[in-house]
Amino acid sequence: MRIGLLGTGNVARALAHGWSAAGHDVLLGSRHPEERTDLDLPVACLPETAAHAEVLVNATPGTVSVELLHSIGAPALAGTLLIDVGVGLSDDFTELSHPNSSLGEQIQEAFPLTPVVKTLCTMDSTVMTAPDGLDGPSTVFLSGDDAEAKRTTGRLLTDLGWPSTSQLDIGGITTARGQEHFALLFIGIAGGLGAHTFNINVVTRPTS
């Protein structure tokens, strides 16, 4: 697939490398692509990235994501699956910028013709593309209102190394707030461990 990743930070680059290794055509989108010639990945302006993509990935800071998407324009995004991995946090990482909602919900509300799927925001970028590097299986969550969009997202997650048994659909886009609000616990766990490379696993009772 043609995948456009909005952003050029650690998350965008990790996902781009992961999907490129799986055979997908990836393009990073930047407001200033002429300043990102240091990357070993193709970079274009935001409108060009959106026009290129069958699937768009929002890997921008959650405090500016909606504004950035508006700069591209709703017509350019209409009908394109948007996978949102962003989380809005204050500069000191102590507060959520969407405490009573979620970035995923706000994007879906602002762009109703763009199916939004929230995923991969409960882990560090190193785990996103190498879940088998952890000491055991773990869980990646999906939130969204469009069933086909979630199926496509699930296939792309599989290409990153997430088997279907590790993928948990937790419901509509309103459940994205649960994923994003985990960020505060993530920061606490990272402080306790002294490391960011970890994930959580949903463990249930054995079936009888």
Side-chain angles (χ1 to χ4, degrees):
M1 300 189 75
R2 297 188 310 277
I3 303 175
L5 299 105
L6 305 177
T8 58
N10 291 338
V11 170
R13 296 198 307 271
L15 292 174
H17 280 298
W19 278 318
S20 179
H24 296 288
D25 177 4
V26 301
L27 181 64
L28 295 176
S30 171
R31 285 176 169 172
H32 306 287
E34 70 282 357
E35 298 176 3
R36 299 317 314 258
T37 57
D38 57 318
L39 304 180
D40 59 346
L41 292 161
V43 185
C45 65
L46 299 177
E48 183 180 343
T49 301
H52 167 86
E54 296 173 273
V55 175
L56 272 175
V57 180
N58 175 47
T60 64
T63 51
V64 301
S65 296
V66 174
E67 174 190 353
L68 181 143
L69 290 167
H70 275 302
S71 75
I72 298 172
L77 302 175
T80 301
L81 164 59
L82 190 144
I83 298 174
D84 176 36
V85 302
V87 176
L89 287 165
S90 59
D91 291 341
D92 62 359
F93 301 105
T94 61
E95 296 183 6
L96 293 162
S97 59
H98 308 95
N100 299 310
S101 180
S102 68
L103 174 61
E105 290 173 88
Q106 293 196 4
I107 293 174
Q108 187 63 88
E109 182 179 3
F111 303 94
L113 300 182
T114 300
V116 177
V117 178
K118 190 81 188 189
T119 191
L120 288 172
C121 71
T122 55
M123 65 196 74
D124 182 71
S125 61
T126 56
V127 177
M128 292 178 185
T129 57
D132 57 353
L134 299 177
D135 188 20
S138 60
T139 303
V140 61
F141 304 98
L142 297 94
S143 303
D145 297 333
D146 187 295
E148 181 58 33
K150 283 196 279 193
R151 282 191 288 270
T152 300
T153 302
R155 291 192 293 270
L156 291 174
L157 290 173
T158 300
D159 289 341
L160 294 176
W162 295 95
S164 59
T165 51
S166 292
Q167 300 177 26
L168 183 58
D169 182 346
I170 59 174
I173 195 63
T174 57
T175 65
R177 67 184 64 181
Q179 294 196 54
E180 294 183 27
H181 290 200
F182 176 75
L184 298 180
L185 180 55
F186 177 93
I187 292 168
I189 295 172
L193 292 176
H196 291 85
T197 305
F198 63 89
N199 196 25
I200 58 172
N201 190 32
V202 176
V203 181
T204 62
R205 288 181 181 273
T207 57
S208 57

